[in-house]
Amino acid sequence: MSLRDQVDINKLPKHIAIIMDGNGRWAKEKGKLRVFGHQQGVLALRDVVEGAVEIGVPYLTVYAFSTENWNRPKVEIIALMELLVATINKETKILIENGVRLNAIGDLKQLPSKCIKQLEEAIKKTANNTRCTLTLALSYSSRWEITEAAKKIAADVKAGQLNMEDIDEKLFSSYLTTADIPDPELMIRTSGEYRISNYLLWQLAYAELYFTSKLWPNFRREDLFAAIIDYQKRERRFGMTSEQLN
Ligand code: FPP
């Protein structure tokens, strides 16, 4: 039986978050520049998005550029931004054909204006698609996001628009960049690293974590299906006992 057939489509995670790691190492193994790894990473992303749509995963969020990535060599940052613009330009049509709505989270104003424009256009063009929401985390970090949410809440309390007593987990979530998206139920990280790296720290509170040694450019939809099958074998207890769940 193929991996695709082993996925129980009645028990799919609603939201899968991915840390696409290992592009640089993949390129190095091949004696190529790091940017070549990122280019191949785009092919992996396309296949994974199509795989998610194929089986019916409604939300997919990928870490495309972290706040910390601004510290990379300038030449790599420029290459990544150019790749982002070219990819969005090229892939928007494919996203529309697949019914994918594009979304972006992060400190987007830090991106080059060309990127922001391209992103805004693609988000607008795909706004009515309903099969899957693909969120790109760009210039994103959780600590930035949580700090921003705290600032906005404080400002609303100060302005008399919010009572301090009304601040609870639900309200806090509504101030995050993911306010309209359910929390991820599965988080996948490639390349054999066992870290969260400042990614969706609040939202991953109850997510199942899946780590694979595969480098991101080698990751394909079958690997996504394997991660989902693994997730479906797990017992999610949310702090309760097995007996309570049964
Ligand atoms: C991590 O690999 C990957 C990134 C920092 C960028 C991710 C980008 C892509 C997959 C392609 C671009 C995406 C879009 C949406 C256009 P790394 O460079 O940290 O690899 P390493 O750990 O092996 O050095």
Side-chain angles (χ1 to χ4, degrees):
M1 197 162 51
S2 71
L3 285 168
R4 161 77 179 80
D5 291 338
Q6 288 172 52
V7 172
D8 180 350
I9 53 158
N10 298 312
K11 273 172 62 185
L12 286 175
K14 270 196 192 65
H15 184 181
I16 301 177
I18 306 182
I19 300 180
M20 310 181 286
D21 197 11
N23 295 350
R25 274 163 285 167
W26 185 89
K28 199 172 175 191
E29 270 179 9
K30 305 227 161 348
K32 307 255 189 192
L33 293 173
R34 293 178 60 84
V35 63
F36 188 67
H38 297 314
Q39 284 165 354
Q40 295 301 308
V42 173
L43 304 184
L45 180 56
R46 185 199 288 159
D47 199 61
V48 165
V49 172
E50 286 181 353
V53 170
E54 182 188 331
I55 56 171
V57 174
Y59 293 92
L60 194 64
T61 299
V62 295
Y63 213 174
F65 195 85
S66 71
T67 308
E68 291 78 12
N69 287 154
W70 289 116
N71 298 320
R72 290 203 171 189
K74 213 164 174 197
V75 60
E76 185 173 347
I77 296 176
I78 293 170
L80 267 168
M81 292 301 145
E82 280 174 3
L83 185 61
L84 182 67
V85 173
T87 303
I88 296 171
N89 199 3
K90 197 165 148 221
E91 304 287 327
T92 304
K93 197 168 157 263
I94 300 169
L95 292 180
I96 294 169
E97 279 165 15
N98 281 286
V100 179
R101 176 171 77 99
L102 189 69
N103 180 36
I105 56 170
D107 193 4
L108 303 178
K109 60 183 183 307
Q110 302 298 333
L111 300 172
S113 55
K114 212 168 148 193
C115 270
I116 300 176
K117 193 168 163 270
Q118 195 73 250
L119 207 51
E120 281 173 350
E121 273 175 26
I123 288 172
K124 214 166 144 191
K125 279 189 194 155
T126 60
N128 295 325
N129 295 341
T130 54
R131 286 182 80 181
C132 179
T133 297
L134 170 65
T135 300
L136 303 180
L138 285 165
S139 188
Y140 173 88
S141 83
S142 258
R143 288 187 172 182
W144 164 82
E145 176 185 41
I146 291 170
T147 309
E148 285 302 300
K151 278 194 219 161
K152 283 183 207 143
I153 290 172
D156 284 352
V157 170
K158 197 174 165 193
Q161 285 163 4
L162 184 67
N163 290 322
M164 209 176 82
E165 296 69 34
D166 293 332
I167 301 172
D168 58 12
E169 290 182 14
K170 194 162 170 252
L171 180 120
F172 199 90
S173 294
S174 75
Y175 278 76
L176 295 173
T177 60
T178 50
D180 302 326
I181 302 174
D183 285 345
E185 288 166 309
L186 171 63
M187 197 288 292
I188 300 170
R189 181 172 191 151
T190 58
S191 91
E193 304 290 352
Y194 299 87
R195 288 189 293 276
I196 306 288
S197 298
N198 216 348
Y199 187 45
L200 301 171
L201 298 180
W202 174 280
Q203 298 88 338
L204 291 176
Y206 287 103
E208 294 296 327
L209 308 181
Y210 180 88
F211 299 97
T212 168
S213 59
K214 227 175 215 193
L215 301 176
W216 177 252
N218 291 330
F219 198 88
R220 289 294 177 273
R221 71 183 76 188
E222 288 73 24
D223 301 298
L224 176 76
F225 299 157
I228 294 173
I229 292 164
D230 188 275
Y231 159 88
Q232 291 180 333
K233 286 187 191 135
R234 300 188 194 182
E235 183 182 64
R236 305 188 73 215
R237 291 204 293 271
F238 303 99
M240 289 186 280
T241 65
S242 269
E243 290 70 28
Q244 281 176 304
L245 287 175
N246 294 323

